Amino acid sequence: GCGVLGMGGLPADYTRQQIRLLRTMTSRPFGVNILLPLLQPGQIEACLDEKIPFLVLFWGDPKPYIKEAHRRGVKVFIQAGSVTEARAAADAGVDAIIAQGVEAGGHVKSTTSLSTIVPSIVAAVKPVPVIAAGGIATGQGVVSALALGAEGVSIGTRFLCSNEAVAAQAYKQRVAHSRAEDTVYTLLFDVGWPNAAHR
């Protein structure tokens, strides 16, 4: 397992600073997640300059970044919300596809359940590795994702309540005491990113 540093919409200098800080805390591999609609000038270049192990892109075309990333020894993953998007990314040369189900927290591009989208993307992009994301919070969820053909899982909300997560304690408590039925799928929190569905 490895962590992913979320840097959506943050300045390049801050992204670089956070990568360097993270390297003081671990010698393990990690990735950096960039939301392409919120991409800041120099942000991807900062990640490549720092020679991160892998770059996770979301909600956009990864093609402009793949050649230079690979030249610098950085792998590129893309989070995809549809088979069409996954197939285009595989054709562009990404190293792995993160298949997002509609159950996902945070920004949600997919409109398809994880149980449907994972096997569909696996079949469409073989032999590119597929990682399942969306609503996975237990060992049983991991086993289910692997049974669907995923080679691994990407988990976000499950770690939101960790001590390391920078979130308000009241928010963490609400998440920890909620049920799946308590989630809301909305467009209200678009942070200036029109039509960005969010859970």
Side-chain angles (χ1 to χ4, degrees):
C2 62
V4 177
L5 181 64
M7 290 283 104
L10 296 167
D13 287 345
Y14 184 74
T15 299
R16 187 184 311 276
Q17 178 187 56
Q18 291 302 299
I19 291 168
R20 290 177 179 175
L21 176 62
L22 185 52
R23 282 211 167 105
T24 69
M25 300 174 180
T26 184
S27 60
R28 300 286 194 171
F30 62 88
V32 175
N33 183 294
I34 303 287
L35 300 168
L36 291 173
L38 303 178
L39 182 64
Q40 298 297 302
Q43 196 175 23
I44 287 181
E45 292 78 2
C47 292
L48 300 182
D49 289 346
E50 293 297 322
K51 295 181 172 45
I52 61 171
F54 63 98
L55 181 65
V56 180
L57 303 176
F58 185 37
W59 216 300
D61 183 7
K63 192 172 185 176
Y65 313 104
I66 295 171
K67 185 176 180 181
E68 183 62 16
H70 285 169
R71 188 181 75 75
R72 297 198 196 194
V74 176
K75 294 187 183 308
V76 179
F77 296 5
I78 184 77
Q79 189 165 184
S82 71
V83 172
T84 301
E85 183 183 18
R87 190 177 288 124
D91 290 345
V94 297
D95 298 284
I97 306 284
I98 300 173
Q100 185 196 60
V102 71
E103 301 90 342
H107 290 100
V108 184
K109 192 171 189 186
S110 181
T111 57
T112 308
S113 72
L114 193 67
S115 63
T116 299
I117 201 167
V118 168
S120 298
I121 287 179
V122 167
V125 303
K126 209 170 209 173
V128 176
V130 175
I131 298 162
I136 302 166
T138 65
Q140 183 179 19
V142 173
V143 170
S144 295
L146 297 177
L148 293 169
E151 295 193 31
V153 298
S154 177
I155 301 173
T157 305
R158 179 65 180 90
F159 295 110
L160 184 64
C161 298
S162 67
N163 292 332
E164 297 84 358
V166 182
Q169 193 60 36
Y171 182 60
K172 291 181 180 186
Q173 288 174 352
R174 289 188 71 181
V175 169
H177 294 103
S178 66
R179 299 162 303 165
E181 299 89 334
D182 297 328
T183 68
V184 177
Y185 182 76
T186 181
L187 294 173
L188 289 176
F189 303 103
D190 64 13
V191 294
W193 174 8
N195 300 315
H198 196 91
R199 184 175 311 283

